[in-house]
Amino acid sequence: MLAGWNLIPSFAYRDFSLRPSFDFGNGNIQVVSFSEDDDKLPNPAPVVILAHGYLGSRFDLSHLGEMLASEGFLVLAPEYPESLADSFDPFESSSGITIDRTAITAELLSALTNKWNLQPASFGVVGHSLGCGTVERTGDETWSRVCLAGYPSSRGSSSLFVGSNNDGAVPLARALQALQALNFSRLDQDYLKAKKYQSTFPKRSYLIFEGENAPNHISFLAEGPCDSMVQFLSPLLPLARFLGIPV
């Protein structure tokens, strides 16, 4: 139902004071300011964009961003219009330019080379929920793509999908049908936990969490944003169930 929305209705605007859960005990992570610490940024470095979903925020996948940063990736997490942390109407700008996901991502990529003088070694994009649409539309066929709790990407030769049978927001059956049509290879969860895979996965692969304790739609998020999402959505659950909207 929300797949076609690209803003939060004004009656639902929120400004949650969300914060990422930086693990400062990890010596491989450093927090820098683009305006003051340009020389501390890895250059060249593989670049990864984190695309949040509807009612999400730039902090949604901060736990994943921290892990990638500790491995030498340059991680970018833009704020898109339909965000709990900073809602805005993409069609209302003083310049008359539509500030939607496509425009924000394009400006960010332009700033990498033109403003910050960085030379990306490679590109990847990770999306959660509605952010999987951003994954599909961003970059060219050389980009690596990861879709979490959404819909798998059909673009490029390197793509990973992660879903759950407890996801009430996005029907898993629909994703599985697409995965089979796109010839994705399934990863075994227990085999993966035992670290028995070699250094690389199949170029197109997917992982499905199964069982009673499998994650729900927002369990993929970092702890702080997940708690804020529960706080925002909880009062709406009775209405959603009454209307038959999957949650």
Side-chain angles (χ1 to χ4, degrees):
M1 183 183 71
L2 301 178
W5 291 22
N6 58 3
L7 72 156
I8 298 178
S10 58
F11 68 83
Y13 276 9
R14 291 293 183 274
D15 185 13
F16 284 98
S17 297
L18 304 176
R19 293 292 181 269
S21 56
F22 284 128
D23 178 9
F24 290 105
N26 188 331
N28 293 328
I29 295 179
Q30 59 176 334
V31 179
V32 300
S33 166
F34 276 127
S35 60
E36 300 174 0
D37 302 312
D38 289 358
D39 59 329
K40 295 182 180 180
L41 296 172
N43 190 23
V47 173
V48 175
I49 295 176
L50 303 181
H52 66 76
Y54 187 81
L55 297 180
S57 79
R58 64 189 182 278
F59 301 129
D60 279 10
L61 302 175
S62 58
H63 56 318
L64 178 58
E66 294 166 24
M67 186 179 303
L68 290 170
S70 70
E71 296 293 334
F73 289 84
L74 178 61
V75 183
L76 308 173
E79 193 86 75
Y80 293 118
E82 57 296 329
S83 165
L84 280 182
D86 190 19
S87 309
F88 63 91
D89 189 330
F91 304 108
E92 293 183 358
S93 67
S94 57
S95 63
I97 299 174
T98 300
I99 309 176
D100 58 9
R101 284 177 175 251
T102 301
I104 292 171
T105 304
E107 182 65 23
L108 185 60
L109 292 173
S110 174
L112 275 177
T113 54
N114 298 328
K115 182 177 181 181
W116 302 320
N117 298 317
L118 299 176
Q119 300 299 321
S122 61
F123 288 101
V125 55
V126 181
H128 172 259
S129 189
L130 185 65
C132 294
T134 305
V135 169
E136 180 74 4
R137 293 188 297 271
T138 301
D140 56 29
E141 302 307 306
T142 66
W143 284 50
S144 297
R145 293 174 166 82
V146 178
C147 293
L148 307 175
Y151 197 71
S153 173
S154 61
R155 296 188 60 201
S157 59
S158 180
S159 183
L160 173 66
F161 173 82
V162 182
S164 170
N165 66 344
N166 279 344
D167 188 342
V170 180
L172 183 59
R174 183 181 174 213
L176 289 173
Q177 185 178 11
L179 290 165
Q180 293 172 1
L182 294 170
N183 295 318
F184 275 58
S185 300
R186 181 162 186 170
L187 303 175
D188 183 85
Q189 183 178 344
D190 294 331
Y191 204 67
L192 186 63
K193 288 181 178 179
K195 298 181 180 180
K196 293 183 179 180
Y197 282 103
Q198 300 299 318
S199 58
T200 59
F201 295 152
K203 287 295 185 180
R204 287 191 169 192
S205 54
Y206 70 99
L207 173 66
I208 304 298
F209 291 100
E210 297 179 309
E212 294 182 359
N213 296 322
N216 60 30
H217 192 66
I218 63 174
S219 296
F220 291 93
L221 309 183
E223 183 178 359
C226 186
D227 290 343
S228 294
M229 185 75 78
V230 171
Q231 175 189 347
F232 177 73
L233 294 178
S234 291
L236 303 177
L237 290 179
L239 177 60
R241 292 194 178 102
F242 176 77
L243 295 175
I245 300 173
V247 293

